[in-house]
């Protein structure tokens, strides 16, 4: 094993730790932490930890030989049992708006940052363990994570990366060898579950809530310090910090957030807990909790049982909620700018940019060259209505749609039969079938005016419409098998989800519609925040 690709060759440059104010108090009790961006805290050692899975791609990205991931030393390091030279562990202090209300100090309650690696390509990668024991921000909770939620985070964050959705990554998933008590349904019926630790990786884990907290405490000097730090390391192209640069920075956050949400909408991802502490300053999907994938296309669906009443975080609400979250970030940096107009116009621009990005995204999903207002506005609206009215699997619908041959003399019954496998109902009601047929004939006419060959269109559509996503029930099956001691399905899903747009022989079962048994099953269609 070449020494330059070994664990010991990882180079650390801990900018967050070295440049931002630290909490002077060194004790690990849950507490209010004043005027500090982080608290020094060591991960809890788990001497009985064992490897469940690792990401070969992420290892290579860090400049690590993937073989290293199979060593005992790797397990010791990424379970938090052993620290590498250069690691300086800490938990970050941040606040946030949860479900629309200011929640005050939150912070890394069960995440411990190990340090920032500078890869051989010069990329900064912060390594963070999730589930590695209590920190001063654990409040009333234990600082641990259970295997089921860790499997979901590990698999989904890597899957999102391969779908080309901006996201935090995951290097490893380990079982801690200890048990954690959880009341999964918040009904007083706690049980012991296996504990796990995921090593998450991102250029930075800074959230909207990091900025909000200091401004809420009238410590805008720290807000400024944090913002200058963020610009220096992650927005160098903006130049030396100034009021103008802060405004430009906020504009960029609005744009990257618009792009993020468009990508979620494209693949049918519902985050489930879009609180401002779960919004990345780099426009990454962060904090995989009770997220879910749209199976039947229901714009009002939320996977999160805690959100079932208000449906604040439902699929179709995500663009609007992101804008609300951006407004909270704008409020947090306002004292540094004092130009409400500039921030308001950035927020309005978010909406405009998102609307354009959504149309372009829908155009590409439908295989169209460009969005044409006159025809496509209505075409898209009718499509969304039809998908909603007849229970339709979003992922399969777009894949089957790409198979249409527009010179089939446009027999609508034939067209309908081609997309039929995407419907959850056996027989579609007559009036709904008529609506779909009308839509299909309009769509075919529109494709004709677009002038692409069937093959070119199919290729384009299949490059933006995934065939394999981490369906809720598949994740649940992998979890149940892992809890029973087998990690085969985790590894198989990991491999399949690396090429989500390509049909893979022998992997048909991972592209199937949700089975009936999964419709109302906990974990497969409804998830709680308990993790
Ligand atoms: P979330 O909504 O999962 O992003 O979590 C909100 C806050 O609760 C964050 O500050 C987390 O660090 C904290 N938190 C969640 N679960 C735990 C846990 N088991 N132990 C300690 N803190 C937790
Ligand atoms: Mg969170």
């Amino acid at each position: 094993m070449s020494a330059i690709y070994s664990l010991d060759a990882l180079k650390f440059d801990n900018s967050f730790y070295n440049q931002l104010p630290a909490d002077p108090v060194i004790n690990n009790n849950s507490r209010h932490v004043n005027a500090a961006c982080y608290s020094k805290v060591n991960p809890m050692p788990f001497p009985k930890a064992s490897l469940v899975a690792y990401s070969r791609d992420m290892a290579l990205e860090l400049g690590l030989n993937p073989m290293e991931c199979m060593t005992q030393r790797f397990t010791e390091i990424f379970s938090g049992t052993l620290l590498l030279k250069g690691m300086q562990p800490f938990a970050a202090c941040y606040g946030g708006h949860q479900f629309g209300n200011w929640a005050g100090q939150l912070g890394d309650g069960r995440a411990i940052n190990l340090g920032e690696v500078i890869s051989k390509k010069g990329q900064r990668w912060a390594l963070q363990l999730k589930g590695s024991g209590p920190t001063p921000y654990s409040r009333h909770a234990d600082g641990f994570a259970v295997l089921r939620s860790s499997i979901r985070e590990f698999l989904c964050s890597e899957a999102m990366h391969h779908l080309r959705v901006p996201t935090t990554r995951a290097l490893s998933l380990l079982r801690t060898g200890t048990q954690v008590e959880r009341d999964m349904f918040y009904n007083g019926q706690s049980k012991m579950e296996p504990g796990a630790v995921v090593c998450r990786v991102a250029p930075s884990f800074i959230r909207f809530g990091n900025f909000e907290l200091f401004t809420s405490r009238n410590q805008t000097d720290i807000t400024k310090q944090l913002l200058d730090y963020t610009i220096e390391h992650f927005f160098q192209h903006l130049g030396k910090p100034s009021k103008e640069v802060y405004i430009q920075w906020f504009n960029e956050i609005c744009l990257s957030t618009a792009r993020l949400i468009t990508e979620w909408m494209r693949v049918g991802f519902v985050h489930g807990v879009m609180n401002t502490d779960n919004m990345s300053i780099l426009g990454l999907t962060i904090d995989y909790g009770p997220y879910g994938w749209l199976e039947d296309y229901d714009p009002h669906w939320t996977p999160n049982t805690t959100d079932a009443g208000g449906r604040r975080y439902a699929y179709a609400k995500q663009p609007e909620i992101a804008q609300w979250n951006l407004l909270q970030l704008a409020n947090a940096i306002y004292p540094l700018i004092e130009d409400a107009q500039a921030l308001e116009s950035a927020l309005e621009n978010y909406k405009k940019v998102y609307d354009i990005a959504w149309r372009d995204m829908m155009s590409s999903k439908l295989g169209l060259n460009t969005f044409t207002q006159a025809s496509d506005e209505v075409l898209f609206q009718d499509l969304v209505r039809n998908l909603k009215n007849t229970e339709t699997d979003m992922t399969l619908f777009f894949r089957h749609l790409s198979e249409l041959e527009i010179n089939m003399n446009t027999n609508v019954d034939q067209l309908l039969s081609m997309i039929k496998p995407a419907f959850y109902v056996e027989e579609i009601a007559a009036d709904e079938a008529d609506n779909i047929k009308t839509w299909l004939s309009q769509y075919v006419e529109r494709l004709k005016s677009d002038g692409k060959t069937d093959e070119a269109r199919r290729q384009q559509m299949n490059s933006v419409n995934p065939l394999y996503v981490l369906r809720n029930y598949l994740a649940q099956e992998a979890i149940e098998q892992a809890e029973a001691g087998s990690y085969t399905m985790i590894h198989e899903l990991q491999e399949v989800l690396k090429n989500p747009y390509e049909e893979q022989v022998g992997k048909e079962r991972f592209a199937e519609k949700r089975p009936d048994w999964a419709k109302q099953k906990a974990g497969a269609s409804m998830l709680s925040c308990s993790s």
Side-chain angles (χ1 to χ4, degrees):
M1 204 178 289
S2 168
I4 58 163
Y5 297 108
S6 70
L7 284 160
D8 293 298
L10 290 175
K11 271 207 203 80
F12 287 91
D13 171 42
N14 303 326
S15 63
F16 191 99
Y17 185 98
N18 289 319
Q19 286 181 243
L20 293 167
D23 170 14
V25 181
I26 307 284
N27 79 43
N28 206 2
N29 304 334
S30 281
R31 57 194 160 82
H32 174 95
V33 173
N34 189 37
C37 287
Y38 68 90
S39 303
K40 295 175 188 171
V41 54
N42 281 327
M44 179 176 278
F46 289 113
K48 289 192 190 140
S50 57
L51 183 72
V52 175
Y54 66 91
S55 162
R56 193 185 145 77
D57 298 300
M58 193 62 240
L60 290 169
E61 202 61 63
L62 289 169
L64 200 58
N65 183 332
M67 302 284 280
E68 290 271 299
C69 303
M70 290 183 275
T71 62
Q72 178 57 25
R73 195 164 151 74
F74 180 90
T75 292
E76 284 167 10
I77 294 161
F78 293 100
S79 60
T81 309
L82 183 79
L83 293 176
L84 276 172
K85 194 162 160 273
M87 286 179 168
Q88 291 170 302
F90 71 88
C93 183
Y94 55 80
H97 278 86
Q98 297 185 314
F99 294 91
N101 303 307
W102 175 242
Q105 176 183 302
L106 298 166
D108 289 331
R110 55 166 163 177
I112 295 184
N113 300 273
L114 297 175
E116 298 161 38
V117 168
I118 307 293
S119 78
K120 297 193 178 46
K121 292 186 209 155
Q123 169 69 53
R124 181 176 296 279
W125 288 114
L127 306 178
Q128 183 181 83
L129 299 182
K130 182 167 174 181
S132 51
T135 77
Y137 309 98
S138 297
R139 297 175 293 157
H140 49 275
D142 57 11
F144 302 123
V146 290
L147 182 62
R148 62 181 154 81
S149 63
S150 307
I151 292 174
R152 284 168 50 81
E153 173 141 16
F154 177 81
L155 283 178
C156 197
S157 59
E158 284 300 283
M160 291 285 261
H161 168 71
H162 295 291
L163 284 163
R164 302 187 301 273
V165 181
T167 180
T168 61
R169 305 280 308 268
L171 173 66
S172 57
L173 166 62
L174 291 111
R175 237 173 137 128
T176 56
T178 59
Q179 298 277 302
V180 179
E181 189 177 348
R182 285 290 178 271
D183 179 0
M184 188 168 161
F185 303 108
Y186 302 121
N187 62 2
Q189 307 221 332
S190 296
K191 63 171 197 165
M192 299 308 282
E193 297 190 43
V197 176
V198 169
C199 176
R200 309 199 281 194
V201 189
S204 168
F205 289 97
I206 299 177
R207 304 136 190 275
F208 291 8
N210 292 70
F211 298 90
E212 287 179 271
L213 182 66
F214 301 113
T215 303
S216 79
R217 292 174 172 173
N218 290 320
Q219 294 166 344
T220 47
D221 52 325
I222 307 183
T223 313
K224 181 174 183 316
Q225 230 178 313
L226 184 64
L227 183 49
D228 291 351
Y229 162 85
T230 306
I231 291 170
E232 179 192 336
H233 289 282
F234 307 103
F235 298 83
Q236 294 100 332
H237 58 280
L238 294 179
K240 218 167 134 290
S242 66
K243 281 192 183 189
E244 287 67 38
V245 165
Y246 296 154
I247 294 168
Q248 279 181 43
W249 176 81
F250 183 67
N251 265 297
E252 289 205 9
I253 310 294
C254 290
L255 297 184
S256 59
T257 305
R259 163 156 192 247
L260 174 68
I261 307 297
T262 312
E263 295 293 323
W264 287 359
M265 303 306 274
R266 171 172 69 85
V267 298
F269 177 79
V270 191
H271 184 286
V273 207
M274 285 177 71
N275 294 333
T276 57
D277 54 305
N278 291 340
M279 294 292 291
S280 148
I281 212 69
L282 302 180
L284 308 173
T285 313
I286 191 171
D287 276 10
Y288 290 82
Y291 67 81
W293 293 83
L294 269 196
E295 281 159 339
D296 58 295
Y297 187 93
D298 173 4
H300 305 299
W301 183 67
T302 175
N304 183 356
T305 49
T306 314
D307 190 34
R311 296 186 184 269
R312 180 181 172 85
Y313 298 142
Y315 174 70
K317 288 286 287 292
Q318 299 186 119
E320 180 195 322
I321 292 294
Q323 192 185 29
W324 190 89
N325 289 342
L326 285 162
L327 169 63
Q328 308 317 313
L329 177 63
N331 287 335
I333 59 167
Y334 174 77
L336 312 181
I337 297 172
E338 291 177 322
D339 180 350
Q341 177 96 53
L343 294 170
E344 274 162 22
S345 85
L347 286 166
E348 279 163 25
N349 196 40
Y350 161 84
K351 175 84 176 76
K352 286 189 202 133
V353 168
Y354 173 76
D355 286 344
I356 295 170
W358 187 82
R359 285 170 181 170
D360 287 346
M361 177 272 284
M362 283 300 280
S363 302
S364 69
K365 279 181 88 67
L366 290 172
L368 302 171
N369 283 331
T370 48
F371 173 78
T372 308
Q373 182 87 35
S375 51
D376 301 350
E377 186 90 55
V378 180
L379 192 74
F380 293 0
Q381 279 168 10
D382 288 351
L383 170 63
V384 168
R385 189 168 339 108
N386 284 329
L387 289 176
K388 197 169 62 179
N389 289 350
T390 306
E391 204 179 349
T392 315
D393 190 273
M394 176 181 173
T395 303
L396 291 182
F397 174 80
F398 284 100
R399 290 297 287 206
H400 287 299
L401 198 67
S402 77
E403 289 155 15
L404 300 191
E405 290 172 12
I406 60 174
N407 288 321
M408 294 183 356
N409 288 331
T410 337
N411 174 335
V412 279
D413 288 309
Q414 219 174 325
L415 294 177
L416 181 63
S417 70
M418 292 190 75
I419 56 167
K420 229 174 163 184
F423 298 128
Y424 278 97
V425 280
E426 279 290 314
E427 278 308 317
I428 310 167
D431 54 338
E432 284 172 11
D434 285 343
N435 290 338
I436 298 167
K437 284 193 232 171
T438 307
W439 185 84
L440 282 169
S441 19
Q442 283 161 355
Y443 175 54
V444 166
E445 284 314 304
R446 176 67 182 89
L447 290 179
K448 284 181 181 161
S449 75
D450 215 49
K452 244 189 244 114
T453 64
D454 286 337
E455 186 45 35
R457 191 182 66 254
R458 182 170 309 137
Q459 276 187 20
Q460 186 216 310
M461 290 175 74
N462 287 350
S463 71
V464 294
N465 295 317
L467 175 60
Y468 305 101
V469 294
L470 184 59
R471 289 176 178 273
N472 313 313
Y473 79 92
L474 290 176
Q476 184 57 24
E477 268 186 51
I479 289 166
E480 286 171 16
Q481 291 187 19
E483 286 176 346
S486 163
Y487 306 141
T488 315
M489 188 163 169
I490 296 180
H491 300 149
E492 205 180 350
L493 275 170
Q494 229 189 321
E495 280 309 302
V496 171
L497 295 168
K498 273 189 191 176
N499 285 303
Y501 301 99
E502 270 168 49
E503 213 166 313
Q504 299 169 45
V505 180
K507 303 298 173 190
E508 294 75 13
R509 94 171 188 92
F510 297 110
E512 277 167 13
K513 270 188 299 209
R514 175 199 59 214
D516 279 346
W517 61 259
K519 200 168 176 181
Q520 298 301 333
K521 186 177 157 100
S525 68
M526 305 165 284
L527 291 127
S528 76
C529 286
S530 155
S531 59

